[in-house]
Amino acid sequence: MSENKQDKVDDIYTEATHWHVNTGDETIHAKRITGRFRTYKWYASALYILFFITPYFRWEDSQAILFDIPHRQFHFWALTIWPQDVWMLSLVLILLAITLFAVTAVAGRIWCGYFCFQTIWTDWFTWLEDKIEGNPIQRRKLDNAPWTAHKIKLKVFKHSLWLLISILTGVTFAAYFADVYELWHSYLTFDAPLIAWAVLAAFVFFTYVFAGLMREQVCFWLCPYARIQSVMVDKDTEMPTYDVSRGEPRGKLRGKGSDSRGDCIDCHLCVGVCPTGVDIREGMSEGCITCGMCIDACDSIMDKVGRPKGLIRYASRKEMDGEVLPALFKRPRVVTYSIVLFLAMAGIIYGLTHIPPVELSIVHERQPLFIQMSDGSIKNKYTIKAVNKTAKDLHMHVSIATIKGIKIANASSADIILKSDKIIPLHIFLTARPESLKEKQTPVRFILESMESPTIRVEYESVFISGR
Ligand code: SF4
Ligand code: SF4
């Protein structure tokens, strides 16, 4: 490679200082073309159908997935996560964050390009815009044209559809926190609580403004991930890259006597299709969301001019430098992320498979710690809090592991019914003759067991306190 070309290759990996940032003064009207990466983007988009239909899934007469904030429970099909199990949520968040880091280390901002809500909703909005107002040239013409009845009709139609999607987005989000059918009814009868209206209003506003009006400006100026991504990528990360050594010197379509030119015919299609207005030939830029649209565009041009595809392609810095890309398991970042992922995953699986059907906590009365009865015996009071996490009511019996001299004073209270999904506070008294106790504090073990199912049994360690 000539020195000049090598300099260019080096430049391309230095964040372009001369990168043109569209600060929102002009709307980017990206051309929509077909291609391999466009198809992947549609597949990723289709996954979001799940977001809209999931609240309608039912499980035993209830919503299958529901964040029940008033009762502090998260229902996921047959599973109910209680606040006591919330540590699993931390592991889920770690899992998601590390997955994002790992994917970014391997293939750049795949999340931004294909899965981010902002990208997907913007893609839907601009698709509608394209269908209603026409291709980018027609849209720019319409934007600059005076307000006529035709322009007003098109604009009103487009913005109405955008608002409709925004409203559907807001209602769907709220439906993860309340029964979806009751929610729809309450919205349609204007009977929804204030918080439901506030959530809907916030989502309609932000969806409409972010996806319809601000678009790529959200990625440039508001998204923190765009700022930190540069620390997650390295020379091994594969990202859409312009092959400088093959493309330069660029020039209009080759003719006779232009053999010294590179493969880039300077058609600007790669810039025209970019949803963030980036010219990838200028090098890496913060604005590139690695959507691959420029790859589709350039491949279509290479096809037409009879050159091999891949002038813009997913490639790493090492690959462009002619080095061999190391295997994934030899890359320290990938290995580190994989270990953390594995640990987080193992923790979640352990947690999910070990959620106890009944959670028990016992608080010893502090004031007084004990009382001495008129017959000389010592009495301790305990408050038992038991949570039935199953879907059925449970008949439970409270006992203590046999300890010489200590027994339950109010035995009739030891048989209880634990309502499903409820916390039952219960007072239990233990009594003992002082002469049978050797220590000031004697360990006692409470046992709570189901009368129907012996497998449902929980224990709790506490102490019996006497004045000795
Ligand atoms: S689409 Fe390909 S050929 Fe056209 S300007 Fe971009 S890199 Fe060059
Ligand atoms: S430069 Fe290419 S990959 Fe990056 S955002 Fe633009 S079209 Fe997508």
Side-chain angles (χ1 to χ4, degrees):
M1 198 187 300
S2 73
E3 206 174 300
N4 203 16
K5 277 191 178 178
Q6 183 59 55
D7 287 348
K8 263 281 202 183
V9 172
D10 289 340
D11 280 354
I12 212 160
Y13 288 100
T14 315
E15 187 141 306
T17 48
H18 49 289
W19 169 50
H20 167 70
V21 183
N22 172 21
T23 50
D25 35 323
E26 62 175 297
T27 306
I28 292 176
H29 288 298
K31 187 175 167 64
R32 299 181 81 88
I33 56 162
T34 54
R36 194 161 43 118
F37 291 97
R38 177 67 257 180
T39 308
Y40 296 157
K41 204 167 162 100
W42 280 128
Y43 287 154
S45 239
L47 288 178
Y48 275 90
I49 292 173
L50 281 176
F51 166 74
F52 288 100
I53 63 172
T54 297
Y56 299 91
F57 294 151
R58 310 297 286 180
W59 178 259
E60 292 184 345
D61 291 339
S62 302
Q63 196 161 305
I65 296 181
L66 182 70
F67 292 88
D68 186 351
I69 302 236
H71 297 102
R72 295 189 294 163
Q73 294 168 14
F74 168 47
H75 299 282
F76 188 82
W77 303 97
L79 203 68
T80 300
I81 307 283
W82 288 72
Q84 295 90 336
D85 307 314
V86 87
W87 59 271
M88 272 187 283
L89 188 62
S90 320
L91 286 182
V92 171
L93 293 178
I94 291 174
L95 186 84
L96 293 178
I98 298 294
T99 304
L100 188 62
F101 294 169
V103 168
T104 307
V106 173
R109 292 169 67 183
I110 290 279
W111 162 259
C112 300
Y114 296 90
F115 301 104
C116 172
F117 330 104
Q118 172 64 21
T119 311
I120 299 287
W121 263 249
T122 300
D123 198 44
W124 293 342
F125 277 41
T126 50
W127 180 81
L128 279 172
E129 190 172 64
D130 199 71
K131 294 289 162 219
I132 295 166
E133 295 182 359
N135 64 35
I137 297 171
Q138 293 167 319
R139 298 209 299 264
R140 275 188 212 104
K141 211 167 144 193
L142 187 73
D143 284 351
N144 295 327
W147 285 96
T148 59
H150 177 66
K151 179 171 174 175
I152 292 171
K153 190 178 82 182
L154 292 181
K155 293 284 178 192
V156 167
F157 186 43
K158 178 184 82 174
H159 287 279
S160 305
L161 287 180
W162 283 3
L163 272 173
L164 188 64
I165 295 177
S166 306
I167 291 169
L168 268 177
T169 305
V171 174
T172 305
F173 180 81
Y176 283 88
F177 298 87
D179 184 275
V180 66
Y181 295 106
E182 289 173 19
L183 189 72
W184 268 114
H185 183 263
S186 67
Y187 276 135
L188 293 174
T189 55
F190 297 97
D191 198 24
L194 191 60
I195 182 72
W197 287 114
V199 168
L200 181 60
F203 264 77
V204 171
F205 177 79
F206 286 114
T207 308
Y208 178 77
V209 170
F210 282 6
L213 308 182
M214 289 184 68
R215 304 182 184 182
E216 78 292 340
Q217 298 299 313
V218 175
C219 312
F220 291 164
W221 309 117
L222 299 184
C223 177
Y225 177 54
R227 298 280 168 278
I228 57 169
Q229 53 134 359
S230 54
V231 298
M232 296 180 214
V233 300
D234 54 24
K235 286 181 168 188
D236 299 321
T237 307
E238 297 200 67
M239 290 185 287
T241 308
Y242 170 65
D243 189 341
V244 181
S245 59
R246 194 185 130 187
E248 300 296 321
R250 68 187 80 158
K252 293 298 173 193
L253 195 53
R254 288 164 163 230
K256 269 190 180 169
S258 60
D259 286 348
S260 56
R261 291 206 192 125
D263 282 348
C264 174
I265 62 165
D266 207 16
C267 65
H268 276 256
L269 189 59
C270 51
V271 187
V273 297
C274 178
T276 59
V278 165
D279 184 346
I280 196 165
R281 297 171 302 166
E282 297 293 319
M284 277 179 70
S285 86
E286 210 180 295
C288 176
I289 54 170
T290 72
C291 65
M293 297 302 107
C294 52
I295 302 180
D296 282 344
C298 193
D299 280 352
S300 72
I301 295 295
M302 291 298 109
D303 256 353
K304 282 185 190 141
V305 298
R307 303 297 303 164
K309 291 179 179 178
L311 176 56
I312 303 175
R313 61 181 183 275
Y314 265 92
S316 68
R317 164 89 196 247
K318 277 192 177 157
E319 193 186 328
M320 284 293 172
D321 283 345
E323 294 176 42
V324 180
L325 201 61
L328 282 181
F329 65 86
K330 288 189 180 162
R331 292 169 57 179
R333 276 175 199 246
V334 177
V335 172
T336 311
Y337 291 146
S338 303
I339 291 171
V340 181
L341 269 182
F342 174 77
L343 291 176
M345 192 96 77
I348 293 167
I349 292 171
Y350 175 85
L352 289 178
T353 51
H354 287 76
I355 292 179
V358 173
E359 193 96 32
L360 178 65
S361 82
I362 296 180
V363 180
H364 190 286
E365 185 75 27
R366 293 199 168 271
Q367 282 189 337
L369 283 170
F370 65 91
I371 53 173
Q372 186 144 30
M373 310 301 289
S374 54
D375 62 359
S377 63
I378 307 288
K379 207 176 208 182
N380 280 204
K381 182 183 175 189
Y382 303 82
T383 302
I384 296 182
K385 282 189 180 169
V387 186
N388 176 3
K389 294 179 170 180
T390 69
K392 293 182 184 143
D393 295 349
L394 293 171
H395 292 84
M396 307 293 288
H397 177 71
V398 184
S399 61
I400 53 170
T402 311
I403 298 165
K404 197 165 173 277
I406 301 177
K407 59 182 184 183
I408 295 177
N410 54 336
S412 59
S413 306
D415 290 338
I416 51 173
I417 295 176
L418 283 186
K419 294 272 184 200
S420 170
D421 287 357
K422 291 266 181 324
I423 300 175
I424 306 275
L426 167 77
H427 296 304
I428 283 281
F429 295 92
L430 297 188
T431 182
R433 297 295 312 167
E435 55 274 16
S436 65
L437 303 168
K438 294 191 179 109
E439 306 283 343
K440 254 187 179 178
Q441 292 193 1
T442 310
V444 282
R445 183 152 35 95
F446 286 88
I447 300 163
L448 192 62
E449 54 195 333
S450 163
M451 292 197 256
E452 298 98 350
S453 169
T455 53
I456 300 180
R457 171 190 163 101
V458 273
E459 298 186 358
Y460 198 95
E461 300 287 345
S462 186
V463 286
F464 185 89
I465 299 175
S466 68
R468 288 181 67 92

